[in-house]
């Protein structure tokens, strides 16, 4: 029956359901709809679905105009009604996969989605998991759940894994221009998955198994967490040695081979880098293998906000941090992106409050905070406002900030993002 589904895909007659309309799912759903497919966006979050029905967008990479376009065309239908899966040809799972305490994966969202699919799945349906998880999840967890009703993977339905590759706020690489890796339970599963994604993505790279596809994602993000952890360690080392780590990185970048620059900061944020490598760490540990690099890097990055607080204590010199006024500039994990997921500056705010100092924040893209017990409003950035703080802590280097105004009026500046590169001023201290 695979030829029937293949023809449906080629003629754009295949109906597609995307489960989970977050940073991964919504761009996929919108782009498949723009390509001419009938797409149903399914999410348990009623507020999220209602916003889409009002033709609003809640993520940076998809504009309200794009949402309106696909909804007005009738090609995109956001819904909380999962019984719609009865008539779907291609189901793509894009649900969260957070980490519990002690570096343990939480795959409950995947399990819930798969059990819902199992109630409604019809023959000749292609099911694709995009949610990041440990190697073996697709075949060890999803396949048995979907086969409980009597269907068999590779025969009655098709099953694949294709790791999400989303970089929020990246205008150069959107979901359609980032190469896609796909790995199916059988070759037919892989071929069908490749064909689906080729309708919206320029290059699709098949691998030989779902496990290889799952491992690919974890390798990509483990590479990043390890190198960020290493450069953060180097930054602490350079401070002890009295060396400017930023100068060292710029010098190393001149080598045309064998080096790739990474930059120090308060740690790692977003969903992928802080959590995805820990899925690999957990899986390896269950097989009796200790991934020392991942654990060490995760611990190093997690400690950076505390290290930064200790540096502020040094900078303030004789003034007690408990009696100081601190301005934190930037609370998102990445510049120019209004994403607070796992954002290290939030941990920084918690630690500063724990020190009982007076702390406020400024962020041009986050007007207020109501998260993790933090309830604050962004201040207005004015000369008198800046001058009242004992230290300005640059945590996130948003582009649309008047750093000249800050430099002119601040008493002390702790620059963790090197925004004052090349500036020689005794009141500027770097990470």
């Amino acid at each position: 029956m695979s030829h029937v589904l293949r023809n449906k895909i080629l003629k754009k007659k295949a109906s597609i359901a995307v489960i989970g309309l977050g940073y991964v799912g919504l761009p996929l759903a919108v782009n498949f709809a723009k390509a001419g497919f009938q797409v149903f966006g399914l999410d348990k979050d009623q507020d999220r679905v209602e916003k889409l029905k009002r033709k609003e967008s809640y993520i940076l990479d998809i504009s309200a105009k794009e949402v309106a376009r696909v909804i007005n065309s009738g090609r995109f239908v956001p819904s909380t009604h999962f019984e719609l899966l009865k008539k779907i040809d291609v189901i793509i799972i894009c649900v969260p996969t957070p980490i519990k305490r002690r570096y343990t994966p939480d795959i409950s969202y995947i399990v819930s989605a798969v059990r819902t699919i199992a109630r409604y799945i019809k023959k000749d349906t292609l099911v694709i998991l995009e949610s990041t998880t440990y190697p073996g999840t697709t075949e060890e967890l999803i396949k048995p759940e979907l086969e409980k009703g009597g269907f068999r993977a590779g025969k009655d339905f098709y099953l694949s894994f294709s790791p999400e590759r989303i970089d929020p706020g990246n205008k150069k690489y959107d979901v359609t221009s980032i190469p896609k890796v796909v790995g199916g339970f059988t070759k037919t599963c892989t071929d069908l998955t490749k064909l689906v994604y080729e309708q919206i993505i320029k290059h699709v790279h098949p691998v030989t198994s779902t496990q290889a596809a799952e491992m690919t994602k974890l390798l990509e993000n483990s590479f990043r967490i390890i190198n960020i952890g290493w450069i953060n360690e180097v930054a602490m080392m350079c401070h002890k040695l009295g060396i400017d780590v930023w100068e060292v990185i710029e010098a190393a970048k001149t080598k045309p081979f064998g080096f790739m620059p990474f930059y120090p900061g308060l740690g790692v944020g977003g969903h992928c880098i802080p959590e995805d490598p820990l899925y690999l760490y957990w899986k390896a540990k269950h097989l009796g293998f200790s991934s020392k690099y991942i654990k060490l890097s995760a611990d190093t990055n997690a400690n950076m906000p505390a290290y930064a607080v200790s540096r502020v204590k040094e900078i303030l010199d004789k003034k007690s941090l408990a009696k100081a006024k601190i301005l934190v500039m930037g609370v998102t994990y990445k510049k120019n992106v209004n994403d607070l997921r796992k954002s290290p500056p939030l941990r920084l705010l918690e630690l500063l409050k724990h020190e009982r100092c007076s702390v406020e924040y400024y962020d041009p893209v986050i007007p207020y905070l109501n998260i993790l017990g933090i309830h604050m409003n962004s201040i207005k950035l004015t000369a008198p406002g800046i001058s009242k703080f004992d230290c300005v802590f640059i945590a996130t280097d948003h582009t649309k900030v008047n750093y000249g105004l800050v430099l002119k009026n601040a008493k002390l500046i702790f620059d963790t993002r090197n925004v004052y590169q090349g500036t020689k001023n005794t009141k500027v201290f770097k990470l």
Side-chain angles (χ1 to χ4, degrees), residues 385-397:
I386 295 167
S387 63
K388 76 176 184 179
F389 292 98
D390 296 297
C391 182
V392 175
F393 191 120
I394 299 176
T396 308
D397 52 334

Side-chain angles (χ1 to χ4, degrees), residues 11 46 57 104 163 182 195 257 261 271 287 343 351 362 418 431:
K11 294 177 180 179
Q46 183 72 47
S57 178
T104 303
V182 299
L195 185 64
F257 56 90
H271 166 70
L287 295 174
S343 181
L351 292 173
Y362 169 75
N418 200 30
L431 183 65

Side-chain angles (χ1 to χ4, degrees), residues 18-87:
V18 177
I19 300 178
L21 298 174
Y23 283 83
V24 176
L26 185 58
L28 272 177
V30 169
N31 278 284
F32 273 118
K34 285 164 67 175
F37 288 91
Q38 179 63 60
V39 180
F40 295 88
L42 301 179
D43 202 297
K44 290 183 177 180
D45 188 331
Q46 183 72 47
D47 182 59
R48 182 178 278 181
V49 169
E50 290 302 322
K51 282 182 179 178
L52 292 172
K53 287 182 177 179
R54 294 195 302 266
K55 302 167 189 177
E56 299 174 9
S57 178
Y58 42 81
I59 68 171
L60 186 65
D61 295 332
I62 295 295
S63 67
K65 186 177 179 180
E66 288 177 288
V67 172
R69 175 185 165 188
V70 291
I71 287 183
N72 289 339
S73 71
R75 293 288 183 185
F76 178 49
V77 179
S79 178
T80 57
H81 300 297
F82 284 77
E83 60 269 22
L84 290 168
L85 292 171
K86 291 177 181 178
K87 57 182 179 181

Side-chain angles (χ1 to χ4, degrees), residues 7 48 83 92 112 161 174 179 210 227 232 287 293 303-304 368 426:
N7 289 335
R48 182 178 278 181
E83 60 269 22
I92 305 175
S112 176
F161 182 82
D174 67 1
T210 59
N227 279 284
N232 277 331
L287 295 174
Y293 285 98
N303 186 58
M304 288 307 291
Y368 65 91
T426 56

Side-chain angles (χ1 to χ4, degrees), residues 223-278:
F223 170 81
R224 294 190 67 189
I225 198 175
I226 289 168
N227 279 284
I228 293 170
W230 163 236
I231 202 64
N232 277 331
E233 185 175 90
V234 170
M236 292 185 279
M237 193 188 311
C238 282
H239 175 62
K240 288 289 185 182
L241 293 169
I243 299 170
D244 185 343
V245 67
W246 304 94
E247 180 184 7
V248 172
I249 294 169
E250 289 302 306
K253 278 170 60 178
T254 63
K255 185 179 180 182
F257 56 90
F259 181 80
M260 177 181 290
F262 284 81
Y263 300 92
L266 290 181
V268 291
H271 166 70
C272 291
I273 304 175
E275 297 187 339
D276 293 355
L278 299 177

Side-chain angles (χ1 to χ4, degrees), residues 335-354:
K335 71 177 182 180
N336 305 331
V337 172
N338 62 344
D339 194 340
L340 295 171
R341 292 175 300 169
K342 300 289 181 179
S343 181
L346 297 180
R347 178 58 180 157
L348 174 70
L349 288 173
E350 289 179 327
L351 292 173
L352 290 171
K353 284 179 174 290
H354 183 72

Side-chain angles (χ1 to χ4, degrees), residues 103 225 229 232-233 236 266-268 274 278 281 291-307:
Y103 296 160
I225 198 175
N232 277 331
E233 185 175 90
M236 292 185 279
L266 290 181
V268 291
L278 299 177
Y281 170 79
S291 178
K292 301 178 182 67
Y293 285 98
I294 292 175
K295 178 66 164 56
L296 179 61
S297 301
D299 289 344
T300 300
N301 291 325
N303 186 58
M304 288 307 291
Y307 170 74

Side-chain angles (χ1 to χ4, degrees), residues 126-165:
L126 170 61
V127 179
I128 307 167
L129 176 63
E130 284 219 6
S131 305
T132 304
T133 185
Y134 57 84
T137 301
T138 306
E139 294 187 23
E140 296 168 11
L141 176 71
I142 295 178
K143 178 177 170 285
E145 282 290 335
L146 294 179
E147 289 183 334
K148 284 181 178 179
F151 286 171
R152 290 292 172 261
K155 181 181 179 182
D156 302 305
F157 70 94
Y158 310 98
L159 181 64
S160 295
F161 182 82
S162 179
E164 57 92 354
R165 281 175 168 171

